[in-house]
Amino acid sequence: MPHAHLLVVDDEPSILTTLQKALSLEGYAVDVAGGMKVADEKLKKRTYDLCLFDVQLPDGDGISLLSNLRAAKNEVPIIMMSGHATIDTAVRATRLGALNFLEKPINTDALLIAIETALRLHRAESEANELRLATGQAGDLIGDSPAIKKLVEQVARAAKSSASVLLTGERGTGKELVARAIHQLSPRAKGPLEKLNCAALPSELIESELFGHEAGAFTGATKQRRGKFERASFGTLFLDEVGDMPLAMQSKLLRVLQEREIERVGGSEVIKVDTRVVAATNRDLVKACESNAFRADLYDRLNVVPLHIPPLRARRDDIPILAAHFLKLAAKANDRPGIRLEDEAIAILVSYNFPGNVRELKNLTERLVILTPDDVIRAADVQSCLPGSGGSKAAGLYRPGVPLRELVEQAERQIIVDALAHHGGQMAATARALDLERSHLYKKARALGLRGESKGDDDE
C-alpha cells in the first residue's frame, strides 16, 4: 500500500539501512530508530500507519515498546522481528496485539506481504467501525432515533478504553447487546468475550465460575478448571445482573479489579489477568449502596464509564426498524417468506409502551409470525397478541424466555393501566376499586412509569 508511513526499530544499522531502502523502493515513507528511546520520541511526534519492532534493543525491548503503545491506546499495526525468537515471546507479542512475527534474516518478499496484509486488515477494521457508526449501529444495536444515536456514540467512545463500564436500564433494553458492541469495537475485539449472569447461579458456585478451581477443591471438582476471569484475559468479561451478586463475592470481585490478579478456588498460585469488565444491572445501585446491599467501593470501581440504555418507549421511532428486523429473522426461522406487517399494525406497535422493551418486541414479532395464518400481519392480529387483549390472555401473559417476576410486573402494569382508564385516570377511584391505599397506588404507578390524574381525587 504505497504512501503509508512506516517506522522501523532495530539495533543493527545495516538492517535499518537495508529495510529503509527496500521499503522506500516500494513507495513507503520510512523512518528508522536504533533504540527504544528514539522510537518513543518519533511515535510522540507523528502518527504511523505501521511499525516494525525488533525484539532486542540496546535500551529495552520491542515487546515493551508494543506494550507501552497499547497501554496508551495507540492501535497502530505492529510487526515484530527477532533473530532469537522463542514460542513464549511470539505468544506474548500476539496477545499484546502484534499482527505478525518474522524471524531474521528477514526475507524481503515475506516482509512486503506481511506489511500489505497488516495495512489492509487495519484499514478494513477501521472502515467497518466507521460504517457501523455511520449507519447508526454498533455491533447489533439498531435504530435511527436520537436516543440510540447518542448511545452508539457513547459506546464508540467507551470502547476505545479498557476502563470498567456499568450499563443500567430496564429489563429487556439490550444491555447484553451493548456489552457485545463495546467488545467488538474495542482493541480487545480479537480476544474472548465471556459472560456470567450473577443472578442465575447459587452463591457457592459464583466464585468457582469467576476464578476457577483446582482439582479436589470441593466435592465434584475432579480436575482443574479455569474461571471466567482467566478465560477472558486480553478480552472482556460481561457481568450481567451484577446487582444480585452476594456481598461476600462483591469483596472478592473488588480485590480482583484492584489487583488484576486471581487465585483459583483451592489453589495458592497468584494468576495475573488482563480482563476488562463490563457490568449490567436493572437495579438502582445507588440506593442499594445506601442500604448496604451493595458495596459502595465496588460500585465506584464498576461505574468508571456509566452508560444508561433507554427504554423502547423513549425511542419509538426505532420500533418500525426493529420490528422489520425481528420479522425478517422470525420469517426465516419459521419458513414464512413474504410475511409482512401492514402500516396499521406498525402504528399499534409504535403506540404500545412495551414494558418488556426490545425483548418484548422481539418475542411479540416472533409470535405474530407463528400465529398469523396470512402473509399480512394486520392491526387486529397485533391487538389480539398484546397483553390484556380479549381472546388471547394466555398468549399475552406468558412469553417463553421471560422471567416470572417480569411477567408479573407486566401483568400488574396492564391491570393498573386498564383500571385507570376505566376510572378516567382518577387515582383515588382506582385505588378504591383495587382495594389499595392511594399512596401505595401512587408508588406502584411511579415505579411502572404511569401517571394518573390527581385533579378531583379528593372529591371522589
Side-chain angles (χ1 to χ4, degrees), residues 24-294:
S24 296
L25 287 172
E26 293 297 319
Y28 296 109
V30 184
D31 288 348
V32 297
M36 192 168 176
K37 183 178 179 181
V38 178
D40 276 332
E41 291 173 354
K42 288 183 177 291
L43 286 162
K44 289 174 182 175
K45 289 179 180 178
R46 67 158 297 120
T47 299
Y48 289 94
D49 297 299
L50 182 139
C51 296
L52 290 97
F53 293 160
D54 187 19
V55 171
Q56 293 187 345
L57 298 171
D59 55 350
D61 62 81
I63 299 291
S64 297
L65 194 54
L66 166 60
S67 179
N68 292 344
L69 281 176
R70 295 304 184 242
K73 314 307 175 192
N74 188 330
E75 296 305 316
V76 60
I78 305 291
I79 294 175
M80 301 299 298
M81 307 178 292
S82 177
H84 310 280
T86 65
I87 292 176
D88 287 344
T89 303
V91 168
R92 188 179 170 204
T94 302
R95 283 182 171 176
L96 286 170
L99 295 181
N100 212 325
F101 199 106
L102 302 178
E103 292 188 25
K104 294 180 177 179
I106 300 297
N107 179 288
T108 304
D109 290 335
L111 175 61
L112 291 173
I113 291 172
I115 290 174
E116 184 176 353
T117 301
L119 288 170
R120 290 187 184 280
L121 177 62
H122 186 68
R123 184 175 65 176
E125 290 179 346
S126 298
E127 289 176 350
N129 287 346
E130 290 172 4
L131 178 62
R132 279 196 288 266
L133 292 176
T135 56
Q137 297 183 27
D140 292 323
L141 298 180
I142 297 172
D144 195 38
S145 66
I148 202 66
K149 284 182 177 179
K150 179 182 177 182
L151 177 63
V152 167
E153 290 173 0
Q154 292 173 331
V155 166
R157 287 196 294 270
K160 294 177 183 178
S161 77
S162 288
S164 298
V165 179
L166 181 61
L167 306 176
T168 57
E170 298 176 6
R171 298 181 185 89
T173 49
K175 292 187 285 292
E176 184 175 349
L177 292 181
V178 174
R180 188 179 303 140
I182 291 171
H183 175 73
Q184 289 172 343
L185 294 173
S186 77
R188 298 169 175 265
K190 293 181 181 177
L193 172 62
E194 293 283 337
K195 174 191 172 184
L196 178 70
N197 188 320
C198 302
L201 287 173
S203 57
E204 61 270 16
L205 293 182
I206 292 182
E207 184 174 7
S208 173
E209 281 294 315
L210 281 177
F211 310 136
H213 61 254
E214 299 291 350
F218 50 83
T219 303
T222 57
K223 60 182 181 180
Q224 183 190 80
R225 185 172 184 273
R226 295 164 68 231
K228 299 282 187 181
F229 259 103
E230 200 173 345
R231 295 206 298 271
S233 200
F234 302 103
T236 305
L237 173 59
F238 175 48
L239 297 178
D240 198 10
E241 304 292 355
V242 73
D244 293 305
M245 180 176 283
L247 278 170
M249 276 306 305
Q250 290 179 29
S251 61
K252 295 179 180 181
L253 174 60
L254 176 64
R255 188 185 69 81
V256 174
L257 293 177
Q258 290 172 333
E259 306 296 333
R260 297 291 173 182
E261 58 187 31
I262 63 166
E263 291 181 22
R264 299 191 188 108
V265 177
S268 57
E269 179 189 2
V270 175
I271 302 167
K272 290 286 185 181
V273 291
D274 180 6
T275 305
R276 184 194 197 166
V277 171
V278 177
T281 183
N282 54 52
R283 296 193 172 191
D284 187 335
L285 290 190
V286 173
K287 288 184 177 179
C289 291
E290 292 171 354
S291 64
N292 295 320
F294 199 84

Side-chain angles (χ1 to χ4, degrees), residues 348-349 352 354 360-361 363-373 377-399 410 414:
I348 290 179
L349 291 176
Y352 179 59
F354 285 103
E360 183 180 5
L361 174 59
N363 291 341
L364 175 61
T365 306
E366 184 173 9
R367 188 184 318 131
L368 287 165
V369 169
I370 294 170
L371 296 180
T372 304
I377 299 174
R378 307 185 189 283
D381 299 316
V382 174
Q383 196 68 54
S384 68
C385 283
L386 290 176
S389 61
S392 186
K393 294 284 184 183
L397 289 174
Y398 173 67
R399 288 183 297 287
Q410 292 172 12
Q414 191 59 52

